[in-house]
Amino acid sequence: MWKRYLAYLHPSKKLLLSAFGLSVAIELISLAFPVVTQLIFDRVLDTANWPLLHIMMAVILVLICFSTVSTAIRQALIGRIAYIIDHSMLDSFYRHLFRLPYSYFTKRTSGDILTRVYENEKIRRLITDHAIELLLDLLTLLVYGGLMVYYHSGLALISFALMPLYIGLYAYMLPRIRRNLRKQLIAEGETQTQIVEAVHTIATVKGLSMERTVRGKLLNKLSRLLALRLEGNRLEATAKAVSSALRSLSHAALLYSGASYVLEG
């Protein structure tokens, strides 16, 4: 499945590499800020070195300008990639859809088919936005992790000590989130079907005075969909809350350990 979807990236390979190159540059610029901050604390404050402070601030302003321009160009490239993938993916989807036999359409509702069309956009977002975010996160982990190990291996070990808990958290939550999303897809297809059928047969509905019955059925479908979305929001909120707690614990452990190292000389 992944091989089929990643094939849509081949026409945009150069754009993708350009976006990734800009992302690397932005990450390196972000890495420069804590280094400049360290220089200010170590070499400016103790000696009241005003000229060096002005140089550091000029460097920071240049880095901010470069980072802003690079981020804007990267987002424009990602937007272009998204356009190309959307066009190619929907063309392939419609080509496949209209080649299917008539029996396929008789076994499925119109809402189900419409929902599958909308799901293409989610897959495209996964391929472009989330895939690039994943690469950036891995890059950040490698770059910042390497710098942390260079500065102090003990503090780096404390920072990475909670990684197994993060992995365990998402190994536990992701299957439940995935099942909920699958149920949402089915419920959304049923809701879309109910709306389409009600609109197509509006003359019959009004002729038989069945507005209340049709509205009741639609609200039942909609209530189930909203309940599943609420459950999904709760699962995501739980994952984010526990993740935030683990991050705060990591910060507290770093603060305590760093202070202990300083007190011990």
Side-chain angles (χ1 to χ4, degrees):
M1 181 184 69
W2 283 107
K3 190 175 181 180
R4 184 172 77 247
Y5 285 120
L6 291 177
Y8 292 112
L9 290 172
H10 284 305
S12 311
K13 190 159 53 176
K14 290 183 179 179
L15 290 174
L16 192 62
L17 289 174
S18 300
F20 185 70
L22 283 173
S23 300
V24 173
I26 292 168
E27 286 298 317
L28 293 175
I29 291 170
S30 300
L31 189 62
F33 286 108
V35 174
V36 171
T37 304
Q38 183 196 14
L39 290 174
I40 290 174
F41 273 92
D42 291 349
R43 299 187 182 181
V44 173
L45 297 182
D46 285 346
T47 59
N49 192 338
W50 284 95
L52 183 58
L53 177 62
H54 294 154
I55 292 172
M56 292 293 103
M57 293 310 298
V59 169
I60 288 176
L61 289 175
V62 171
L63 291 176
I64 289 172
C65 292
F66 185 78
S67 178
T68 303
V69 173
S70 299
T71 302
I73 295 174
R74 185 185 67 181
Q75 291 307 116
L77 289 174
I78 292 174
R80 179 64 181 170
I81 293 169
Y83 169 79
I84 294 172
I85 292 176
D86 269 341
H87 188 276
S88 178
M89 184 180 289
L90 287 174
D91 178 62
S92 175
F93 177 80
Y94 287 131
R95 195 192 307 269
H96 176 71
L97 181 66
F98 289 112
R99 283 177 180 170
L100 293 171
Y102 179 73
S103 58
Y104 175 87
F105 298 93
T106 59
K107 292 177 182 177
R108 282 169 176 80
T109 60
S110 53
D112 183 29
I113 296 172
L114 283 173
T115 304
R116 290 172 189 274
V117 174
Y118 299 144
E119 289 300 307
N120 278 279
E121 184 181 353
K122 295 180 182 178
I123 294 170
R124 192 269 302 158
R125 283 205 306 267
L126 177 65
I127 293 174
T128 54
D129 302 344
H130 299 304
I132 291 175
E133 285 177 10
L134 178 61
L135 288 174
L136 288 178
D137 289 341
L138 291 174
L139 180 66
T140 304
L141 185 65
L142 292 173
V143 174
Y144 280 79
L147 188 66
M148 288 164 62
V149 171
Y150 171 76
Y151 268 81
H152 199 290
S153 57
L155 290 176
L157 184 62
I158 292 170
S159 294
F160 290 110
L162 292 178
M163 285 291 288
L165 294 180
Y166 278 107
I167 294 171
L169 169 66
Y170 285 100
Y172 176 78
M173 295 299 296
L174 284 178
R176 287 159 177 76
I177 293 174
R178 191 161 50 243
R179 282 197 297 270
N180 176 267
L181 288 174
R182 193 175 292 116
K183 290 178 181 177
Q184 282 190 46
L185 176 64
I186 296 170
E188 191 170 351
E190 293 176 354
T191 305
Q192 292 277 358
T193 300
Q194 194 72 38
I195 294 172
V196 171
E197 289 178 352
V199 171
H200 282 175
T201 59
I202 191 66
T204 305
V205 171
K206 287 190 169 293
L208 298 175
S209 300
M210 293 179 62
E211 293 95 332
R212 182 176 297 179
T213 304
V214 173
R215 188 175 68 247
K217 288 182 178 179
L218 179 58
L219 285 176
N220 286 335
K221 301 285 186 184
L222 188 60
S223 298
R224 184 169 179 272
L225 175 60
L226 293 177
L228 287 169
R229 284 180 180 173
L230 180 61
E231 183 186 349
N233 288 335
R234 286 173 180 166
L235 289 171
E236 291 181 11
T238 302
K240 287 180 180 178
V242 177
S243 177
S244 177
L246 290 175
R247 189 162 55 249
S248 299
L249 284 174
S250 177
H251 292 167
L254 273 175
L255 184 63
Y256 177 81
S257 302
S260 301
Y261 284 126
V262 173
L263 291 173
E264 292 170 0

